[in-house]
Amino acid sequence: MMIGMNTETCDPAELAALREIFAPRPEASPPAGWEAVRFFEAEHSIMLPEPYRTFVAEVCDGLRAGPPYYGLLPFAQTPSDWGSGRPERLLAEPFPLRSTWMWENNEETLSEHELEARMDAVFDHGSLLLGTDGCGMYWHLVVTGPQRGHVWLIDEYGAMPFGTSPSTSPMPGTPGFTGWVTHWAQGRSWFAGPPGDDPEEAA
């Protein structure tokens, strides 16, 4: 079961943590400003979840160093390897998943058409692209639906949330944008390894 979070108001402690991570980095892109954020929201009929919303408006709108590996994207962009000819991204449509779905197994025996339609919705409905780790591995911030505020990794094999317990996800950690960024800033692996591998556990 996913952990709930407040996505409507910005927690000052979370914003302070994000400032501490990004402020010392001279290569960080300047904030987008509230006018750009509100224009984007109106264009897509959404409201970005906090604290990401305030972060891009007031702190930083992109960092080439990450997270993820190929950099944190400006909030209105897609990765260079996203490709052309893909379906339109519909941010106002709810993100369809609540838990990990590995479609390469197709255990529900969906038809090819049904499978493609569901996969398209996972990639293109209700989420903002944060960046890529390469090899078709894309990080999404859910902006619409029950998973609003959670970060998901979506690739050719399936989709899984970041920030749950080891028993429910291979990517345990603190859920949400701040937890995801902090995990990266601490140099921790995205995926759970054998006990003792995590530097935070060893501390």
Short mmCIF file of all heavy atoms in Angstrom, two decimals, residues 78-122:
data_model
loop_
_atom_site.label_atom_id
_atom_site.label_comp_id
_atom_site.label_asym_id
_atom_site.label_seq_id
_atom_site.Cartn_x
_atom_site.Cartn_y
_atom_site.Cartn_z
N THR A 78 10.70 17.08 -22.47
CA THR A 78 10.82 15.62 -22.50
C THR A 78 12.27 15.28 -22.83
O THR A 78 12.98 16.09 -23.43
CB THR A 78 9.88 14.99 -23.55
OG1 THR A 78 10.15 15.62 -24.82
CG2 THR A 78 8.42 15.18 -23.19
N PRO A 79 12.74 14.08 -22.46
CA PRO A 79 14.13 13.71 -22.76
C PRO A 79 14.40 13.67 -24.25
O PRO A 79 13.50 13.43 -25.06
CB PRO A 79 14.26 12.30 -22.15
CG PRO A 79 13.16 12.20 -21.16
CD PRO A 79 12.04 13.03 -21.70
N SER A 80 15.66 13.88 -24.63
CA SER A 80 16.03 13.91 -26.05
C SER A 80 15.78 12.56 -26.72
O SER A 80 15.59 12.50 -27.94
CB SER A 80 17.50 14.31 -26.20
OG SER A 80 18.34 13.40 -25.50
N ASP A 81 15.78 11.47 -25.93
CA ASP A 81 15.57 10.15 -26.53
C ASP A 81 14.11 9.71 -26.45
O ASP A 81 13.81 8.54 -26.68
CB ASP A 81 16.48 9.11 -25.87
CG ASP A 81 16.16 8.89 -24.39
OD1 ASP A 81 15.40 9.69 -23.82
OD2 ASP A 81 16.68 7.92 -23.81
N TRP A 82 13.20 10.63 -26.11
CA TRP A 82 11.79 10.26 -26.00
C TRP A 82 11.23 9.83 -27.34
O TRP A 82 10.36 8.97 -27.43
CB TRP A 82 11.01 11.44 -25.44
CG TRP A 82 9.57 11.15 -25.11
CD1 TRP A 82 8.46 11.69 -25.71
CD2 TRP A 82 9.06 10.28 -24.08
NE1 TRP A 82 7.32 11.21 -25.13
CE2 TRP A 82 7.65 10.35 -24.12
CE3 TRP A 82 9.67 9.47 -23.14
CZ2 TRP A 82 6.84 9.60 -23.26
CZ3 TRP A 82 8.86 8.73 -22.28
CH2 TRP A 82 7.47 8.81 -22.33
N GLY A 83 11.73 10.42 -28.42
CA GLY A 83 11.33 9.99 -29.76
C GLY A 83 10.14 10.78 -30.29
O GLY A 83 9.39 11.40 -29.55
N SER A 84 9.98 10.74 -31.61
CA SER A 84 8.87 11.43 -32.26
C SER A 84 7.80 10.41 -32.62
O SER A 84 8.02 9.20 -32.59
CB SER A 84 9.36 12.15 -33.53
OG SER A 84 9.96 11.22 -34.42
N GLY A 85 6.63 10.90 -32.98
CA GLY A 85 5.55 10.02 -33.38
C GLY A 85 4.90 9.27 -32.24
O GLY A 85 4.15 8.32 -32.46
N ARG A 86 5.17 9.69 -30.99
CA ARG A 86 4.55 9.03 -29.84
C ARG A 86 3.18 9.65 -29.58
O ARG A 86 2.90 10.76 -30.04
CB ARG A 86 5.44 9.18 -28.61
CG ARG A 86 6.80 8.51 -28.79
CD ARG A 86 7.64 8.60 -27.54
NE ARG A 86 7.12 7.75 -26.49
CZ ARG A 86 7.89 7.02 -25.68
NH1 ARG A 86 9.21 7.03 -25.83
NH2 ARG A 86 7.36 6.28 -24.74
N PRO A 87 2.31 8.96 -28.83
CA PRO A 87 0.99 9.52 -28.54
C PRO A 87 1.10 10.85 -27.78
O PRO A 87 2.10 11.11 -27.10
CB PRO A 87 0.34 8.44 -27.65
CG PRO A 87 1.09 7.19 -27.96
CD PRO A 87 2.50 7.62 -28.29
N GLU A 88 0.06 11.66 -27.90
CA GLU A 88 0.04 12.93 -27.17
C GLU A 88 0.03 12.65 -25.66
O GLU A 88 -0.65 11.76 -25.18
CB GLU A 88 -1.22 13.72 -27.54
CG GLU A 88 -1.33 15.06 -26.83
CD GLU A 88 -2.63 15.77 -27.14
OE1 GLU A 88 -3.46 15.20 -27.87
OE2 GLU A 88 -2.82 16.88 -26.62
N ARG A 89 0.83 13.42 -24.93
CA ARG A 89 0.87 13.26 -23.47
C ARG A 89 -0.30 14.05 -22.86
O ARG A 89 -0.43 15.24 -23.08
CB ARG A 89 2.19 13.74 -22.89
CG ARG A 89 3.39 13.07 -23.58
CD ARG A 89 4.63 13.01 -22.70
NE ARG A 89 4.43 12.04 -21.62
CZ ARG A 89 4.35 12.37 -20.34
NH1 ARG A 89 4.43 13.63 -19.97
NH2 ARG A 89 4.17 11.44 -19.43
N LEU A 90 -1.15 13.37 -22.11
CA LEU A 90 -2.35 13.97 -21.54
C LEU A 90 -2.19 14.04 -20.02
O LEU A 90 -2.53 13.10 -19.30
CB LEU A 90 -3.58 13.14 -21.92
CG LEU A 90 -3.82 12.98 -23.43
CD1 LEU A 90 -4.97 12.02 -23.68
CD2 LEU A 90 -4.09 14.33 -24.08
N LEU A 91 -1.66 15.16 -19.54
CA LEU A 91 -1.35 15.29 -18.13
C LEU A 91 -2.59 15.35 -17.25
O LEU A 91 -2.53 15.01 -16.06
CB LEU A 91 -0.48 16.53 -17.88
CG LEU A 91 1.03 16.35 -18.09
CD1 LEU A 91 1.36 15.93 -19.51
CD2 LEU A 91 1.78 17.62 -17.71
N ALA A 92 -3.72 15.77 -17.81
CA ALA A 92 -4.94 15.88 -17.02
C ALA A 92 -5.66 14.54 -16.85
O ALA A 92 -6.54 14.42 -16.00
CB ALA A 92 -5.89 16.91 -17.65
N GLU A 93 -5.27 13.53 -17.64
CA GLU A 93 -5.87 12.20 -17.49
C GLU A 93 -5.18 11.48 -16.34
O GLU A 93 -3.95 11.49 -16.25
CB GLU A 93 -5.69 11.40 -18.78
CG GLU A 93 -6.56 11.88 -19.93
CD GLU A 93 -8.03 11.61 -19.69
OE1 GLU A 93 -8.36 10.56 -19.10
OE2 GLU A 93 -8.85 12.46 -20.07
N PRO A 94 -5.92 10.82 -15.46
CA PRO A 94 -5.31 10.18 -14.29
C PRO A 94 -4.27 9.12 -14.67
O PRO A 94 -4.50 8.31 -15.58
CB PRO A 94 -6.49 9.54 -13.56
CG PRO A 94 -7.68 10.32 -14.02
CD PRO A 94 -7.40 10.70 -15.44
N PHE A 95 -3.17 9.12 -13.97
CA PHE A 95 -2.18 8.05 -14.09
C PHE A 95 -2.87 6.75 -13.68
O PHE A 95 -3.49 6.68 -12.62
CB PHE A 95 -0.99 8.35 -13.18
CG PHE A 95 0.12 7.34 -13.26
CD1 PHE A 95 0.95 7.29 -14.37
CD2 PHE A 95 0.35 6.46 -12.22
CE1 PHE A 95 1.99 6.35 -14.45
CE2 PHE A 95 1.38 5.52 -12.27
CZ PHE A 95 2.20 5.48 -13.39
N PRO A 96 -2.79 5.69 -14.49
CA PRO A 96 -3.67 4.52 -14.30
C PRO A 96 -3.24 3.49 -13.27
O PRO A 96 -4.03 2.61 -12.93
CB PRO A 96 -3.69 3.89 -15.69
CG PRO A 96 -2.36 4.24 -16.28
CD PRO A 96 -2.05 5.61 -15.76
N LEU A 97 -2.01 3.57 -12.76
CA LEU A 97 -1.53 2.51 -11.87
C LEU A 97 -1.54 2.92 -10.40
O LEU A 97 -1.43 4.10 -10.07
CB LEU A 97 -0.11 2.09 -12.26
CG LEU A 97 0.09 1.55 -13.67
CD1 LEU A 97 1.54 1.14 -13.87
CD2 LEU A 97 -0.84 0.37 -13.95
N ARG A 98 -1.63 1.90 -9.54
CA ARG A 98 -1.50 2.08 -8.09
C ARG A 98 -0.35 1.24 -7.53
O ARG A 98 0.09 1.46 -6.41
CB ARG A 98 -2.80 1.70 -7.38
CG ARG A 98 -3.96 2.64 -7.66
CD ARG A 98 -5.24 2.10 -7.05
NE ARG A 98 -6.37 2.98 -7.28
CZ ARG A 98 -6.83 3.85 -6.40
NH1 ARG A 98 -6.24 3.97 -5.22
NH2 ARG A 98 -7.87 4.60 -6.67
N SER A 99 0.09 0.24 -8.28
CA SER A 99 1.16 -0.64 -7.84
C SER A 99 1.96 -1.10 -9.05
O SER A 99 1.55 -0.89 -10.20
CB SER A 99 0.60 -1.85 -7.09
OG SER A 99 -0.28 -2.59 -7.92
N THR A 100 3.09 -1.72 -8.79
CA THR A 100 3.99 -2.18 -9.84
C THR A 100 3.27 -3.04 -10.87
O THR A 100 2.46 -3.90 -10.52
CB THR A 100 5.15 -2.99 -9.22
OG1 THR A 100 5.90 -2.13 -8.36
CG2 THR A 100 6.07 -3.55 -10.29
N TRP A 101 3.56 -2.80 -12.14
CA TRP A 101 3.02 -3.61 -13.23
C TRP A 101 4.14 -3.92 -14.22
O TRP A 101 4.68 -3.02 -14.85
CB TRP A 101 1.88 -2.89 -13.95
CG TRP A 101 1.30 -3.67 -15.12
CD1 TRP A 101 1.16 -5.02 -15.19
CD2 TRP A 101 0.83 -3.16 -16.37
NE1 TRP A 101 0.61 -5.39 -16.40
CE2 TRP A 101 0.39 -4.26 -17.14
CE3 TRP A 101 0.71 -1.88 -16.89
CZ2 TRP A 101 -0.14 -4.11 -18.42
CZ3 TRP A 101 0.19 -1.72 -18.18
CH2 TRP A 101 -0.23 -2.83 -18.93
N MET A 102 4.51 -5.20 -14.31
CA MET A 102 5.54 -5.62 -15.25
C MET A 102 4.85 -6.24 -16.46
O MET A 102 4.44 -7.40 -16.45
CB MET A 102 6.49 -6.63 -14.60
CG MET A 102 7.13 -6.12 -13.32
SD MET A 102 7.92 -4.48 -13.49
CE MET A 102 9.30 -4.89 -14.54
N TRP A 103 4.67 -5.46 -17.51
CA TRP A 103 3.85 -5.90 -18.63
C TRP A 103 4.56 -6.91 -19.53
O TRP A 103 3.92 -7.55 -20.35
CB TRP A 103 3.37 -4.73 -19.47
CG TRP A 103 4.41 -3.72 -19.82
CD1 TRP A 103 5.45 -3.86 -20.67
CD2 TRP A 103 4.47 -2.39 -19.30
NE1 TRP A 103 6.18 -2.69 -20.73
CE2 TRP A 103 5.59 -1.76 -19.90
CE3 TRP A 103 3.69 -1.65 -18.42
CZ2 TRP A 103 5.95 -0.45 -19.62
CZ3 TRP A 103 4.05 -0.34 -18.14
CH2 TRP A 103 5.16 0.24 -18.73
N GLU A 104 5.86 -7.05 -19.37
CA GLU A 104 6.55 -8.06 -20.19
C GLU A 104 6.02 -9.46 -19.89
O GLU A 104 6.09 -10.36 -20.72
CB GLU A 104 8.05 -8.00 -19.97
CG GLU A 104 8.49 -8.38 -18.58
CD GLU A 104 9.99 -8.63 -18.51
OE1 GLU A 104 10.60 -8.84 -19.57
OE2 GLU A 104 10.53 -8.64 -17.40
N ASN A 105 5.46 -9.63 -18.67
CA ASN A 105 4.89 -10.94 -18.31
C ASN A 105 3.48 -11.11 -18.86
O ASN A 105 3.06 -12.21 -19.18
CB ASN A 105 4.86 -11.11 -16.79
CG ASN A 105 6.25 -11.02 -16.18
OD1 ASN A 105 7.22 -11.44 -16.81
ND2 ASN A 105 6.35 -10.47 -14.99
N ASN A 106 2.71 -10.01 -18.95
CA ASN A 106 1.34 -10.00 -19.45
C ASN A 106 0.52 -11.15 -18.85
O ASN A 106 -0.10 -11.95 -19.56
CB ASN A 106 1.32 -10.07 -20.99
CG ASN A 106 -0.07 -9.79 -21.56
OD1 ASN A 106 -0.95 -9.23 -20.89
ND2 ASN A 106 -0.28 -10.17 -22.81
N GLU A 107 0.55 -11.22 -17.51
CA GLU A 107 -0.14 -12.32 -16.83
C GLU A 107 -1.66 -12.25 -16.99
O GLU A 107 -2.36 -13.24 -16.78
CB GLU A 107 0.23 -12.32 -15.35
CG GLU A 107 1.71 -12.64 -15.11
CD GLU A 107 2.10 -12.54 -13.66
OE1 GLU A 107 1.24 -12.11 -12.85
OE2 GLU A 107 3.24 -12.90 -13.33
N GLU A 108 -2.18 -11.07 -17.34
CA GLU A 108 -3.62 -10.93 -17.50
C GLU A 108 -4.08 -11.40 -18.87
O GLU A 108 -5.26 -11.33 -19.20
CB GLU A 108 -4.04 -9.47 -17.29
CG GLU A 108 -3.73 -8.95 -15.89
CD GLU A 108 -4.11 -7.50 -15.73
OE1 GLU A 108 -5.27 -7.15 -16.07
OE2 GLU A 108 -3.28 -6.72 -15.28
N THR A 109 -3.15 -11.89 -19.69
CA THR A 109 -3.43 -12.37 -21.05
C THR A 109 -4.26 -11.35 -21.84
O THR A 109 -5.28 -11.68 -22.44
CB THR A 109 -4.14 -13.74 -21.03
OG1 THR A 109 -5.42 -13.61 -20.34
CG2 THR A 109 -3.29 -14.78 -20.34
N LEU A 110 -3.82 -10.12 -21.82
CA LEU A 110 -4.48 -9.08 -22.60
C LEU A 110 -4.15 -9.28 -24.07
O LEU A 110 -3.08 -9.79 -24.42
CB LEU A 110 -4.00 -7.70 -22.15
CG LEU A 110 -4.24 -7.32 -20.69
CD1 LEU A 110 -3.51 -6.02 -20.37
CD2 LEU A 110 -5.73 -7.15 -20.42
N SER A 111 -5.05 -8.84 -24.93
CA SER A 111 -4.75 -8.86 -26.36
C SER A 111 -3.66 -7.82 -26.62
O SER A 111 -3.41 -6.94 -25.80
CB SER A 111 -6.00 -8.52 -27.18
OG SER A 111 -6.34 -7.14 -27.00
N GLU A 112 -3.01 -7.93 -27.75
CA GLU A 112 -1.94 -6.99 -28.10
C GLU A 112 -2.46 -5.56 -28.10
O GLU A 112 -1.81 -4.64 -27.61
CB GLU A 112 -1.34 -7.34 -29.45
CG GLU A 112 -0.15 -6.48 -29.83
CD GLU A 112 0.51 -6.92 -31.11
OE1 GLU A 112 0.23 -8.04 -31.59
OE2 GLU A 112 1.32 -6.13 -31.64
N HIS A 113 -3.67 -5.36 -28.64
CA HIS A 113 -4.26 -4.02 -28.68
C HIS A 113 -4.54 -3.49 -27.27
O HIS A 113 -4.24 -2.33 -26.96
CB HIS A 113 -5.56 -4.05 -29.49
CG HIS A 113 -6.28 -2.74 -29.51
ND1 HIS A 113 -5.86 -1.65 -30.25
CD2 HIS A 113 -7.41 -2.32 -28.84
CE1 HIS A 113 -6.68 -0.63 -30.06
NE2 HIS A 113 -7.62 -1.01 -29.21
N GLU A 114 -5.10 -4.33 -26.41
CA GLU A 114 -5.40 -3.92 -25.03
C GLU A 114 -4.12 -3.61 -24.27
O GLU A 114 -4.05 -2.64 -23.52
CB GLU A 114 -6.18 -5.03 -24.32
CG GLU A 114 -7.61 -5.22 -24.81
CD GLU A 114 -8.24 -6.46 -24.20
OE1 GLU A 114 -7.52 -7.45 -23.94
OE2 GLU A 114 -9.47 -6.44 -23.98
N LEU A 115 -3.11 -4.43 -24.47
CA LEU A 115 -1.83 -4.22 -23.79
C LEU A 115 -1.20 -2.91 -24.21
O LEU A 115 -0.73 -2.13 -23.37
CB LEU A 115 -0.89 -5.39 -24.09
CG LEU A 115 0.47 -5.36 -23.39
CD1 LEU A 115 0.31 -5.41 -21.88
CD2 LEU A 115 1.35 -6.51 -23.89
N GLU A 116 -1.18 -2.64 -25.51
CA GLU A 116 -0.60 -1.39 -26.01
C GLU A 116 -1.35 -0.18 -25.49
O GLU A 116 -0.74 0.84 -25.14
CB GLU A 116 -0.57 -1.40 -27.53
CG GLU A 116 0.48 -2.35 -28.12
CD GLU A 116 0.54 -2.25 -29.62
OE1 GLU A 116 -0.20 -1.43 -30.22
OE2 GLU A 116 1.34 -2.99 -30.23
N ALA A 117 -2.68 -0.26 -25.44
CA ALA A 117 -3.49 0.86 -24.95
C ALA A 117 -3.19 1.15 -23.48
O ALA A 117 -3.06 2.31 -23.07
CB ALA A 117 -4.98 0.57 -25.15
N ARG A 118 -3.07 0.09 -22.68
CA ARG A 118 -2.77 0.27 -21.26
C ARG A 118 -1.36 0.80 -21.05
O ARG A 118 -1.11 1.65 -20.19
CB ARG A 118 -2.96 -1.03 -20.50
CG ARG A 118 -4.42 -1.41 -20.32
CD ARG A 118 -4.60 -2.60 -19.41
NE ARG A 118 -4.09 -2.33 -18.05
CZ ARG A 118 -4.09 -3.22 -17.08
NH1 ARG A 118 -4.55 -4.44 -17.28
NH2 ARG A 118 -3.61 -2.90 -15.89
N MET A 119 -0.41 0.31 -21.84
CA MET A 119 0.97 0.79 -21.74
C MET A 119 1.06 2.26 -22.13
O MET A 119 1.76 3.05 -21.48
CB MET A 119 1.88 -0.06 -22.61
CG MET A 119 2.14 -1.45 -22.08
SD MET A 119 3.03 -2.50 -23.26
CE MET A 119 4.53 -1.55 -23.51
N ASP A 120 0.36 2.65 -23.21
CA ASP A 120 0.36 4.05 -23.64
C ASP A 120 -0.15 4.95 -22.53
O ASP A 120 0.40 6.04 -22.28
CB ASP A 120 -0.49 4.23 -24.89
CG ASP A 120 0.17 3.70 -26.15
OD1 ASP A 120 1.39 3.41 -26.11
OD2 ASP A 120 -0.53 3.55 -27.18
N ALA A 121 -1.20 4.50 -21.84
CA ALA A 121 -1.75 5.30 -20.75
C ALA A 121 -0.74 5.46 -19.61
O ALA A 121 -0.63 6.53 -19.01
CB ALA A 121 -3.04 4.68 -20.22
N VAL A 122 0.01 4.40 -19.32
CA VAL A 122 1.02 4.48 -18.25
C VAL A 122 2.11 5.47 -18.62
O VAL A 122 2.54 6.28 -17.79
CB VAL A 122 1.62 3.08 -17.99
CG1 VAL A 122 2.80 3.17 -17.03
CG2 VAL A 122 0.57 2.15 -17.42
#
